[in-house]
Structure formats: C-alpha cells, structure tokens
Amino acid sequence: MSAPAPQAQEPASRQGRDDTDTPAYDEAWFAARAQAGIQRLKAYDPGHDLVALRRRFGEAHLAELGSNENPYGPSPQARAAILDCLHALHRYPDPLGADLKRALAARHGVDVAQIQLGNGSHELLMQLAQVFAGPGDEVVFSRYGFAVFALATQAAGATMRIVEALPRDAAMPCGHDLDAIAAAIGPATRLVYLANPNNPTGTWFGREAMIDFLDRVPSEVLVVMDEAYAEMADAPDYASALSLLGRYPNLAITRTFSKAYGLAGLRVGYLLAQPGLIRVMDRVRESFNVNGPALAACTAALADETHLDWACARNAEQRAALAAALQQRGLRVFPSQTNFVLVEFGPRTAQIEAALVERGVILRPMAGYGLADCLRISVGSPDENRRLLAALDQVLT
C-alpha cells in the first residue's frame, strides 16, 4: 500500500495565521513600500474623463477646450505617411528614429547626435530628473510652471525649490521671475526647469532676459528649457533658446509634435542638447520608445512647412479674437503666446466650470496649480470658440 501524498506546507511567514492576519494589499500597503520620492508623489492629473464625456455628448456636440490641442489637425502628408506604414505594424520601429532625427537636425541646424526622441516631451522631462538629480539634490522651477517639473523632481527623490512667480499686476502676470530663480540656485542645485512660453500661464520672456539668466547659472547646473509652444509664439520679443545651444553647454531644450503639429495622439517629443548629454540620456531610454507610425508622421509633418505656418496663423487669429471676446465680457485674460489663454473668473470659478461641462464645453480647472480662480481655455476652431462664448453668456448671467 502506497504512502499518502505529502501535504504542501504553508510558507513559514503564513503558518499559524488566519484570514484576519492577512494584510490588505491596498494602495497604502504598496505606497509604504515605494521609494521615498514616490510616496510623496501625486499622479499627473489629465483633467476630465474625456472618453466618458464624448460618449455622453457625442464628439460632434462636445467642445474640448481643456487639453491645448490643435483643432486643425496634422498635415495631410503626416496622415498619408501613417497609412503608408500600416502594412509594417508587425515590425518593430527604428530604435534610433534616424530619419526623424535627420529631419530635425536639418530643421534646427544641429547635429543628429544632439537629438533624443521621447514618448512626448513629458517622458524626456521625467528622464532628465531621473538622470541628473536624486536624493540630496535640488531642482529649481517657478510656481505655476508646467506640472511635470514637480512630478519629475519628486519621482527622482530630489528636493523641489519652487520660486514665487511674478505678481498678478506684473507685465507678465504669474510668469517666471528669472531674477528670483537665479537667486534660488545653490550648491545642491542640479537642475533648473523653465518653460518658454509657459503652461498654464501662457507667459514668456525674451532673448536678452534669457541670456542674462543663463550667464548667472553655474556651468555645472543643467538648465532645461521646455519650448512645447515655441512654434506658436509670434511676439516680437519672444525668442527660442535654440540659437544658444552652442554658447551654453549646460542648456537643454525640449519640444513636442503634440501642439503646433497637431499630432498629440501619437505622443512624440524631442530633446536638443550637447552630444554628451544625449549619450547619457540614451542609457535610460526605453527601447523602441517612439512607434513606427509616429516616426513616419512626424518626419512627414516637418516637411510640410506650409501646413504648420497656416495652423499657427489661424491659432494667432483665433487667440486674439477669443481674448478680446472674453475681455468684452468683463473677464481678465492673461497675455499668451501659446494656443490657450488663462482667464480669471473669480470666486465662482468652480461653479462656472461645472456649468460649462453640463453644456458640453470642457475647460481646464487650475486649482491644482494654485490658481483656483482661473480656468485655462484652449484656443479652438472658430465654431468651438463661438460655442464656448454662447455657453459662457448663459452661465455668466
């Protein structure tokens, strides 16, 4: 007669425990085991659940003016390039993104070795902190700067040095105070994040102010200039930092195809910097981080300057018209060089925003930025802007 099969033994850690001893594997349990920087971190807030709102109102009846998208869409050449590569979806994309890098190098007058591609500029901004900052280091940026600056700093375990923005009665209300940012740089500073133009304020600074600031930054401190909206800026005093890359080796610039190029759904950004910085960043780049259709579409979009110029001109026209219409309704509109305007609505801001949602008009609340009395309004198409103003006339009465 065979011996009975041996019974499986409980792990020693569980022997003698009943169900009441089992820990609750909830968010708090896992958070307690996360790295210190992650424990303090809050996830990026994308705003409203747009998918649910599209289902509720139908896409044709929803004015989506909260995500700073380009209402005119991408170049027809980009659309054709996507269709042309669908037959190859079973193949991995070019891990180097060589064609797109060559096109970018030609556009900006830099070497291919000075370019890193990313899954949106968001990924690159996060990686810059991951690579160049950590526990015991400081990262300096302005209050009301792009939300990812804080996320990147905390995820890296570094310390945030948030510098107060310019006051609301300044020429650039809530914009970057470059003098104060320069003064905040100390021995522990490793990174400085700037955005020009800035999201969510729309404000900007000019070339001379930029040079004066960079001259005061120690050479060992990396300055990251986020220029997500640069193509849309047309103010005489605005200038990109691109021409300064050779003059300041500690300067890095991030850009995106999500805004002016109308390719937000493909998530492609890029970094321009010294080749040595790019080689170090490449150590943490995820393999195949930009997909094949995205590489093809962005390369094609760069070749269609006519469409880019047309879309930016339409944005400038509608931005001015929208700002004027809002001001006529007694609202304060912050100066902007982007495809959105920041608008002060006062103590009823939350109620106004909620009432607009009920009418199928989606704006972006700013309470998370510390601007609870403001809403950020993307510049839409003429029809979308008319719908917004009509809904506002109902809500503000």
Side-chain angles (χ1 to χ4, degrees):
M1 185 173 179
S2 60
Q7 298 295 310
Q9 294 291 315
E10 274 196 87
S13 62
R14 291 189 57 82
Q15 289 180 13
R17 291 170 53 177
D18 58 29
D19 289 342
T20 60
D21 297 321
T22 303
Y25 292 98
D26 56 10
E27 181 181 358
W29 189 90
F30 287 104
R33 286 152 180 80
Q35 296 185 40
I38 305 300
Q39 290 185 22
R40 299 188 296 270
L41 194 61
K42 291 184 178 180
Y44 177 78
D45 178 12
H48 291 284
D49 184 347
L50 291 174
V51 174
L53 289 169
R54 288 168 192 157
R55 288 172 181 156
R56 175 183 171 187
F57 291 98
E59 291 194 37
H61 301 286
L62 189 66
E64 297 184 28
L65 301 176
S67 299
N68 300 345
E69 295 154 334
N70 181 342
Y72 305 107
S75 159
Q77 295 181 32
R79 298 174 190 266
I82 292 173
L83 294 175
D84 192 50
C85 69
L86 293 183
H87 68 282
L89 291 184
H90 61 297
R91 302 296 186 191
Y92 283 109
D94 176 6
L96 302 178
D99 287 344
L100 179 53
K101 284 183 179 179
R102 282 191 287 268
L104 285 167
R107 167 60 61 87
H108 295 308
V110 299
D111 193 272
V112 169
Q114 292 181 262
I115 302 170
Q116 177 80 296
L117 302 178
N119 183 18
S121 54
H122 185 143
E123 178 187 40
L124 296 164
L125 292 167
M126 296 290 291
Q127 288 176 342
L128 283 160
Q130 177 188 354
V131 172
F132 295 106
D137 297 330
E138 292 182 353
V139 178
V140 178
F141 52 90
S142 176
R143 191 173 300 282
Y144 315 130
F146 184 32
V148 174
F149 300 164
L151 290 176
T153 303
Q154 293 175 87
T159 300
M160 297 185 294
R161 285 291 304 274
I162 302 175
V163 179
E164 290 302 322
L166 294 168
R168 290 203 185 190
D169 60 357
M172 287 292 168
C174 298
H176 290 358
D177 185 338
L178 294 180
D179 291 333
I181 292 173
I185 297 172
T189 304
R190 295 294 175 266
L191 275 175
V192 176
Y193 283 119
L194 303 175
N196 193 33
N198 182 55
N199 175 19
T201 59
T203 49
W204 67 98
F205 48 86
R207 178 181 173 85
E208 294 308 313
M210 186 189 315
I211 291 174
D212 179 67
F213 172 80
L214 291 170
D215 282 342
R216 288 183 282 170
V217 177
S219 59
E220 66 272 15
V221 175
L222 180 62
V223 177
V224 179
M225 195 81 66
D226 181 27
E227 293 188 347
Y229 301 90
E231 294 89 353
M232 297 171 173
D234 58 1
D237 61 338
Y238 173 79
S240 165
L242 281 168
S243 64
L244 302 175
L245 277 174
R247 180 170 171 180
Y248 299 97
N250 59 331
L251 174 64
I253 300 169
T254 55
R255 288 204 173 187
T256 182
F257 284 91
S258 294
K259 306 304 179 184
Y261 288 95
L263 291 167
L266 295 182
R267 306 298 299 125
V268 183
Y270 57 99
L271 172 70
L272 302 164
Q274 292 297 311
L277 183 150
I278 298 298
R279 286 194 293 270
V280 174
M281 287 284 289
D282 206 44
R283 300 176 189 179
V284 300
R285 180 178 62 85
E286 296 180 8
S287 55
F288 311 107
N289 63 328
V290 180
N291 67 69
L295 289 171
C298 292
T299 304
L302 280 173
D304 192 352
E305 295 187 39
T306 299
H307 181 81
L308 175 67
D309 293 343
W310 175 83
C312 289
R314 299 292 80 72
N315 173 74
E317 291 171 359
Q318 288 301 308
R319 182 178 64 206
L322 178 60
L326 293 168
Q327 289 167 339
Q328 289 169 3
R329 287 159 172 80
L331 299 169
R332 179 183 182 184
V333 181
F334 289 58
S336 175
Q337 282 292 287
T338 63
N339 65 340
F340 64 84
V341 289
L342 184 69
V343 183
E344 186 178 301
F345 282 89
R348 294 180 56 227
T349 298
Q351 294 92 326
I352 291 170
E353 191 268 336
L356 291 172
V357 171
E358 291 303 309
R359 289 163 173 78
V361 176
I362 310 304
L363 309 185
R364 187 62 183 267
M366 289 286 101
Y369 277 94
L371 295 165
D373 62 344
C374 295
L375 296 173
R376 192 188 67 194
I377 305 176
S378 303
V379 177
S381 65
D383 180 64
E384 288 173 322
N385 293 336
R386 282 192 292 269
R387 290 179 59 193
L388 161 68
L389 294 170
L392 268 177
D393 286 341
Q394 297 174 2
V395 170
L396 294 176
T397 54

